[in-house]
Amino acid sequence: MSTFISLLRQHQQAFEQQYDNKLNHDMRSAIHAMLSCQTQQQQQVKWRCTECEHSEQHPISCGHRHCPQCQHQTTSDWLMRQQQKLLPTHYFMVTLTIPYQLRALARYQSKAFYKILFGVAQSTLKDFAKRQNKGEMGFTMVLHTHNRKRDLHPHLHVIIPAGRYDNVKQVWHKGDKHYLFNEFALAKVWRARLLDAINHHDTLVLPQQLPRKWIVDCRHIGYGEHALQYLSRYLYRGVLPDRDILKVTSNSVTFRYRDGQTNQWKIRVLPPLQFIWLILQHALPKGFQRVRDYGFLRGNAKTVRLRIQQLLMTVTKWIAPIQEPIRGKAKRRCPCCQHDMQYAGIIRLS
């Protein structure tokens, strides 16, 4: 069992009493799902072997995206899909941040706030690309809700291939590997548009004092593969992996994190209830998409994307990634004869 789920089960009553006024519906749903994940209270899935008649029953996983015991297949599937979209060109990563004064909106009105965050970010980037007047840009946008210490710190990572595609002339315009956008100008527009969008929302209210300068980072990251692997670690495997929880006592939880400045491991110690809140505050609204593709990287632009890859294959020695099928049926190997077992249905426990 996951260390975090074990902690949650042990301290559930005390935690819900202490944080009752802070818990929203999505957090409570996450708690319920994780506590029932792979337990005897869940329905059971039955497997049988057609060769030796061996059969097994296993508790069903909850499938919740914040559960540390689930979603490992989802992570590998997402990474494979993104790798199939890679182009033989330089990539940039743009990081759009918000000041800490807006984090209360992310915590208590997350669905409305994050929707605005994505909308403003994608329109701002598209408008900056139009100024270069060289065709359509493609990019993948990922929402991260925490910093390395796991405090609430919403920000957007955007992976962008350096180049544009002219769909009319069917020409690829190579980008500059040393420059994408002016990050200071991007930060000013990002700030102005986001504040304006929040001001025009029916329920979101801006705090009185906000910094005049916001931080936007725009940097060259090589050929994209490394950035995709980095982002995939934090998408579907929970906020903190078990391997980083070093020690659990009745009074404290010790976990490690890697410092962003020194790249060295550091230690953080919290009381159990505070640690549980630290993790659960990152629960996202049901159905909310934290990863989105735009331009020629969007899902329904496969034909355009393949055309771009073919164009680039003619000028480089690059070989397009194999379009492997994603996510087949679940499989299980028989422990007796090593043949594939057959799914035999769901057993509903009374």
Side-chain angles (χ1 to χ4, degrees), residues 162-261:
R164 306 286 185 273
Y165 179 67
D166 189 328
N167 197 36
V168 176
K169 298 180 180 179
Q170 296 189 5
V171 174
W172 174 259
H173 296 277
K174 182 180 178 181
D176 185 347
K177 70 175 182 179
H178 300 293
Y179 178 82
L180 182 67
F181 301 131
N182 185 307
E183 58 189 26
F184 299 105
L186 187 59
K188 288 182 180 180
V189 176
W190 164 242
R191 178 187 186 276
R193 290 192 179 184
L194 184 60
L195 296 183
D196 182 66
I198 295 173
N199 267 326
H200 284 85
H201 195 272
D202 295 335
T203 60
L204 299 179
V205 179
L206 284 172
Q208 293 184 351
Q209 294 184 345
L210 286 167
R212 297 187 62 84
K213 291 184 178 181
W214 289 16
I215 298 175
V216 170
D217 184 70
C218 182
R219 65 180 64 186
H220 175 249
I221 55 171
Y223 286 93
E225 179 79 18
H226 178 73
L228 289 175
Q229 293 177 350
Y230 166 76
L231 293 177
S232 70
R233 297 184 208 134
Y234 302 99
L235 289 180
Y236 305 105
R237 295 189 180 181
V239 177
L240 185 70
D242 272 1
R243 65 176 179 273
D244 290 337
I245 302 177
L246 305 179
K247 185 178 180 181
V248 177
T249 69
S250 58
N251 299 317
S252 66
V253 178
T254 304
F255 68 93
R256 65 177 184 174
Y257 64 94
R258 195 178 290 277
D259 185 85
Q261 300 296 324

Side-chain angles (χ1 to χ4, degrees), residues 322-335:
I322 299 173
Q323 302 296 310
E324 298 182 15
I326 304 294
R327 194 92 183 246
K329 294 182 179 180
K331 294 182 179 180
R332 182 174 292 275
R333 185 77 68 177
C334 177

Side-chain angles (χ1 to χ4, degrees), residues 27 144 146 167 176 277 298 306 319:
M27 296 175 188
H144 279 182
H146 58 81
N167 197 36
D176 185 347
W277 168 249
R298 66 188 185 276
L306 291 175
I319 300 176

